[in-house]
């Protein structure tokens, strides 16, 4: 989800920690802008999705609309993504990530 990528890259600016995203030392933004992976980040997946990272960060976007799914996931404590993605994460982690059926639990016995 490219909204999450933009959110993570621009968060230090939004928090007024730096003026430019690449100035935040604990961010992958510098590697993405340089187009070079390092021992912490593989830039290929992001760059395959967005192309020119500097242009991607410079694009105008509606923050409220772009971040709505992320904010909702934050509020409910579930990951953003399709049920298939959540299912893969469930299998890998052993955690229940996909919401169950709403309502009371069925009675047994």
């Amino acid at each position: 989800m490219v909204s999450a990528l933009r959110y993570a890259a621009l968060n230090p600016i939004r928090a007024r920690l730096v003026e430019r995203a690449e100035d935040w030392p604990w961010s992958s933004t510098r590697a993405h802008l340089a187009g070079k992976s390092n021992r912490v980040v593989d830039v290929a997946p992001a760059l395959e999705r967005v192309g020119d990272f500097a242009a991607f960060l410079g694009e105008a976007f509606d923050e409220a609309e772009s971040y709505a799914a992320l904010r909702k996931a934050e509020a409910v404590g579930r990951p953003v993504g399709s049920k298939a993605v959540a299912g893969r994460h469930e299998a890998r982690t052993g955690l229940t990530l996909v919401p169950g059926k709403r309502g009371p639990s069925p009675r047994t016995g």
Side-chain angles (χ1 to χ4, degrees):
M1 170 180 241
V2 297
S3 293
L5 184 60
R6 179 181 280 121
Y7 182 88
L10 297 179
N11 199 44
I13 296 171
R14 221 177 359 270
R16 296 189 176 112
L17 299 169
V18 293
E19 290 186 24
R20 299 177 320 151
E22 61 268 28
D23 292 339
W24 187 242
W26 298 279
S27 172
S28 62
T29 302
R30 192 176 303 144
H32 285 106
L33 288 168
K36 294 184 180 181
S37 297
N38 58 40
R39 61 190 168 124
V40 178
V41 63
D42 177 7
V43 300
L47 298 182
E48 287 169 6
R49 287 176 177 81
V50 302
D52 180 342
F53 202 75
F56 166 69
L57 291 182
E59 291 173 357
F61 70 101
D62 180 338
E63 186 171 321
E65 184 179 324
S66 295
Y67 299 157
L70 296 172
R71 300 236 192 271
K72 181 179 178 186
E74 245 176 8
V76 298
R78 299 207 183 270
V80 177
S82 69
K83 286 185 179 180
V85 169
R88 287 195 301 269
H89 290 307
E90 282 184 337
R92 189 173 345 143
T93 64
L95 299 172
T96 301
L97 301 173
V98 176
K101 183 178 176 188
R102 291 181 181 246
S105 298
R107 294 180 188 228
T108 58

